[in-house]
Amino acid sequence: MRALLRRLHEAAVALLLWRGPAPARPAASEVLSQHLRQRRLPHWTSFCVKYSAVRNDQFGLSHFNWPVDGANYLVLRTGCFPFIKYHCSRAAPQDLALQNAAFTALKVLNAGIPTLLYGIGSWFFARVTETVHTSHGPVTIYFLNKEDEGAMY
């Protein structure tokens, strides 16, 4: 079922973004890891990356652990077209399977309308940018506000 939903989602995004042959794009997971490394493993970060800039290899993940260079991050992730939104907090690994399933179910039940509105709002207000260097070249990520380096919250 998840594979079918992934294919339908990829087809819908490809149709909405309508682009011809494009150069290889990095995986969203690579952008996430590289951003955390570039920030020297911050306590937290919250950013958006355009769907058109990455391969969405984390489809179906809403709340999960993400290990990077010995640190663990609790990641809240949602697709909010035209972006993928990440909120990451450094913390000990936790069992997030139930929370991941609950967040995913909520997104399905509300037909993604709130996340679409969040994406449209982010499109208007995300003015702070940063370049993340990946194996497929630079990717621009967007912030709703400027983050203070080293901030705990």
Side-chain angles (χ1 to χ4, degrees):
M1 180 67 163
R2 184 174 170 179
L4 174 64
L5 288 175
R6 178 189 299 261
R7 282 189 294 234
L8 289 172
H9 180 266
E10 288 172 355
V13 169
L15 183 64
L16 288 169
L17 295 176
W18 183 249
R19 56 183 178 259
R25 295 170 290 148
S29 59
E30 180 184 359
V31 173
L32 171 60
S33 294
Q34 289 301 102
H35 169 62
L36 294 170
R37 286 182 183 112
Q38 281 180 207
R39 286 282 181 103
R40 295 184 298 280
L41 305 176
H43 293 285
W44 73 276
T45 186
S46 180
F47 66 94
C48 299
V49 61
K50 287 186 177 179
Y51 268 109
S52 60
V54 296
R55 231 178 347 94
N56 186 13
D57 65 327
Q58 295 171 319
F59 178 82
L61 294 176
S62 297
H63 198 196
F64 55 96
N65 291 290
W66 193 255
V68 178
D69 299 342
N72 185 70
Y73 285 86
L74 304 182
V75 178
L76 282 166
R77 178 198 170 279
T78 193
C80 51
F81 192 82
F83 297 105
I84 300 171
K85 171 72 175 178
Y86 288 92
H87 185 280
C88 312
S89 299
R90 193 169 59 191
Q94 298 176 20
D95 181 4
L96 300 172
L98 183 60
Q99 292 176 15
N100 183 56
F103 283 127
T104 301
L106 282 172
K107 288 188 251 183
V108 170
L109 287 173
N110 65 35
I113 294 169
T115 58
L116 175 62
L117 294 174
Y118 189 31
I120 292 169
S122 295
W123 195 17
F124 286 106
F125 296 109
R127 297 289 176 244
V128 179
T129 63
E130 186 174 305
T131 301
V132 175
H133 302 283
T134 72
S135 63
H136 294 281
V139 173
T140 301
I141 61 173
Y142 301 83
F143 300 86
L144 293 176
N145 57 13
K146 183 163 176 45
E147 295 182 356
D148 294 328
E149 192 170 328
M152 294 286 290
Y153 308 101

